[in-house]
Amino acid sequence: MEDKDYMRMALSLAKKGMGWTSPNPMVGAVIVKDERIIGEGYHHRCGGLHAEREALAACSEDPKGGTMYVTLEPCCHTGRQPPCTEALVGAGISRVVIGSSDPNPLVAGKGIEYLRKHGIEVETGVLEEECDAINYVFFHYITTGTPYVVMKYAMTMDGKIATGTGASKWITGEAARRDVHEQRSHYRAIMVGVGTVIADDPMLDCRIEGGRNPVRIICDTHLRTPMDSRIVRTAREIPTIMVAGAVSCERKAAYIEAGCRVYSLPERDGMVDLSSLIERLGQEEIDSILIEGGASLNWSAMRCGIVNRVLAYIAPRLFGGELAKSPVGGEGVGYPDQAMALKDVTVRELGNDFLIEGEVKSNVYRIS
């Protein structure tokens, strides 16, 4: 087997941590000695062993003289865990093959430098593109300090997210809806507006086996969320953040008593300032947000320029109706060249539906 083959195995291991390592990256490691795999590991959860240390602990024999394949540059600083570079040196690993470089300022090449200074041969950039791809959330968060924001919606082929009466269940089929729950498990938090809570009384949880419930974030400037809503009634079971503007302490106290956290943030045009919100969430180590709101929240997010990725689930049906809402409301852009543009767009078939997904390339309309 070649280096790339072992790195692919490390990548498969890394992906097992999807949804659980936040705000840490997903990392996998494989140790090879005399062309035999003697140890494997991956980062399971934030606070747990890093992939390198888990692989060393799992070795079936002395790893001295072996090669470690790891998807991300080993850390060289003390955080929730001690430096992995020290563990590699102490174990007598003679060669380390790395996929991605770590953009964390505390690492950023220092891990590689440490290993080489201690006599370990280091090779970098093996399956780099694939290794980078699994940690796009971590790379964004560690370099900006703010969450990676994904705007998700389901619509018909004529661009409607509900009928003219407001009915929206269900636009897409079971395969697409299951994929949404996988996305909820992948991203650390889910965000909606109070209008969605009042209209649908959603749980905003993850309903797949082995999945992780996201932190629920409700943008509710005037705290209108009903106290008997499922969101409030389950706030002690699933972390829930109510985001309000200038409201009374008495009003906030009721939600706090129910188990919610309440943020009071500046307003913009009568609504919570989303730019201030993502700064606050970044400080709380929330590294990613899935927006599942309605047209108003989507427009606010687009206007503020906080959206990094768009997921559009499209069903092969037509609703029609001048009053039927589209995914993004508000005033919209004035000219086509002000549009939010996407790149690296992919199309995936999900049963009878389709998922169009792309990274935000530019948003000329952004208001700072």
Side-chain angles (χ1 to χ4, degrees):
M1 293 176 67
E2 299 180 352
D3 286 348
K4 290 183 178 180
D5 298 314
Y6 292 120
M7 188 61 76
R8 287 191 183 95
M9 296 177 65
L11 268 168
S12 295
L13 289 167
K15 292 175 184 177
K16 291 184 177 182
M18 183 175 291
W20 294 97
T21 63
S22 169
N24 288 350
M26 290 180 278
V27 185
V30 173
I31 301 175
V32 177
K33 186 175 180 180
D34 299 327
E35 299 184 356
R36 292 177 292 107
I37 296 173
I38 64 169
E40 297 180 342
Y42 70 96
H43 187 38
H44 290 247
R45 300 191 184 208
C46 179
L49 285 178
H50 289 183
E52 299 94 324
R53 287 181 177 271
E54 183 177 81
L56 289 170
C59 279
S60 57
E61 61 183 86
D62 188 350
K64 185 176 181 179
T67 296
M68 175 174 283
Y69 296 85
V70 61
T71 55
L72 184 69
E73 178 182 358
C75 65
C76 54
H77 68 288
T78 299
R80 292 181 175 91
Q81 290 287 326
C84 289
T85 50
E86 292 181 1
L88 296 178
V89 171
I93 294 292
S94 63
R95 181 172 178 253
V96 176
V97 180
I98 298 170
S100 295
S101 297
D102 191 340
N104 185 342
L106 296 174
V107 185
K110 299 181 184 71
I112 295 170
E113 181 182 0
Y114 181 95
L115 295 175
R116 286 175 173 161
K117 279 185 176 180
H118 286 78
I120 296 178
E121 178 188 349
V122 180
E123 183 171 348
T124 62
V126 176
L127 295 187
E128 183 175 18
E129 186 174 342
E130 291 92 328
C131 292
D132 285 353
I134 67 170
N135 279 317
Y136 60 92
V137 166
F138 171 74
F139 289 169
H140 173 87
Y141 177 69
I142 204 66
T143 55
T144 67
T146 59
Y148 184 92
V149 179
V150 179
M151 184 169 71
K152 166 264 167 185
Y153 52 83
M155 70 178 188
T156 61
M157 285 185 67
D158 59 339
K160 307 297 184 181
I161 60 173
T163 66
T165 65
S168 60
K169 295 182 179 179
W170 295 103
I171 292 175
T172 55
E174 290 185 8
R177 297 202 297 274
R178 177 178 175 79
D179 191 79
V180 169
H181 284 278
E182 291 176 356
Q183 302 289 350
R184 289 181 178 182
S185 179
H186 182 188
Y187 296 109
R188 186 68 188 92
I190 184 170
M191 182 189 295
V192 301
V194 63
T196 295
V197 176
I198 292 173
D200 300 336
D201 193 21
M203 272 291 289
L204 304 178
D205 57 351
C206 175
R207 298 167 210 163
I208 56 174
E209 186 177 352
R212 178 186 188 180
N213 283 329
V215 175
R216 302 179 301 193
I217 302 169
I218 314 301
C219 293
D220 186 359
T221 308
H222 305 293
L223 286 184
R224 297 187 295 122
T225 297
M227 295 303 298
D228 62 351
S229 66
R230 294 200 292 171
I231 289 289
V232 175
R233 287 190 286 112
T234 59
R236 296 192 185 281
E237 301 166 23
I238 303 175
T240 303
I241 300 172
M242 308 298 297
V243 186
V247 294
S248 68
C249 292
E250 292 78 10
R251 186 65 178 152
K252 291 189 289 186
Y255 293 94
I256 294 171
E257 178 66 23
C260 302
R261 297 179 64 187
V262 180
Y263 292 174
S264 291
L265 295 178
E267 298 180 27
R268 172 182 286 176
D269 298 332
M271 300 178 65
V272 169
D273 180 8
L274 296 183
S275 297
S276 297
L277 174 57
I278 65 164
E279 292 285 345
R280 173 72 179 272
L281 294 172
Q283 295 168 7
E284 299 283 343
E285 292 194 329
I286 291 179
D287 65 354
S288 55
I289 303 170
L290 182 66
I291 297 179
E292 285 198 26
S296 178
L297 181 60
N298 287 346
W299 167 247
S300 294
M302 175 179 165
R303 184 182 64 170
C304 289
I306 66 171
V307 179
N308 301 108
R309 194 173 193 85
V310 177
L311 305 181
Y313 295 85
I314 301 178
R317 52 174 66 184
L318 307 176
F319 281 176
E322 293 182 0
L323 299 180
K325 290 186 177 180
S326 64
V328 183
E331 64 190 70
V333 301
Y335 302 94
D337 61 1
Q338 294 177 321
M340 175 188 287
L342 304 180
K343 63 180 180 179
D344 302 328
V345 176
T346 62
V347 180
R348 182 154 53 99
E349 191 171 356
L350 297 168
N352 293 324
D353 307 311
F354 296 89
L355 170 60
I356 299 180
E357 183 174 358
E359 191 87 1
V360 173
K361 179 180 179 181
S362 64
N363 185 7
V364 179
Y365 190 79
R366 175 175 180 166
I367 297 176
S368 60

